[in-house]
Amino acid sequence: MKISVELTLTPLHDDYEPSIIHFIKKLRASGLTVLENPLSTQVYGDYDTVMPLLTTEIKEAFSFMERGLLYMKIVKSDRHEYEPHF
């Protein structure tokens, strides 16, 4: 089953950029389709591949910060080629 996941990682401390950059670089290295914009990162792939990767990488990202939030949206389909039609 293909999924699309949107992630917004928000460390709640000063000097937050290194945590976010490390998280995104780990996702990029996964071999999955990863797209980024200034507000979020999207990961696309098979559910059984994406979810274990996210579990591992989210846990690691949280270990690098004292406090933080992660917003996640999951859509059941691969939407990486979506283009608005308006």
Side-chain angles (χ1 to χ4, degrees):
M1 162 188 358
K2 298 293 184 184
I3 61 171
S4 302
V5 182
E6 180 180 64
L7 304 159
T8 303
L9 179 64
T10 309
L12 299 175
H13 55 79
D14 294 334
D15 194 31
Y16 57 86
E17 286 182 349
S19 300
I20 295 171
I21 291 168
H22 180 78
F23 182 64
I24 292 171
K25 285 183 175 182
K26 295 291 292 264
L27 295 176
R28 286 179 184 165
S30 70
L32 295 169
T33 301
V34 177
L35 302 176
E36 301 141 31
N37 64 53
L39 299 176
S40 65
T41 301
Q42 294 85 39
V43 180
Y44 305 91
D46 188 71
Y47 183 93
D48 292 330
T49 304
V50 173
M51 295 309 289
L53 170 77
L54 292 180
T55 298
T56 299
E57 298 309 331
I58 291 168
K59 184 176 182 177
E60 181 177 305
F62 281 169
S63 74
F64 291 131
M65 60 184 83
E66 186 176 329
R67 291 175 306 282
L69 300 171
L70 178 87
Y71 297 97
M72 180 167 48
K73 298 177 192 174
I74 303 172
V75 177
K76 184 186 170 194
S77 68
D78 185 333
R79 305 286 292 165
H80 82 274
E81 293 182 353
Y82 171 78
E83 292 187 30
H85 301 287
F86 52 87

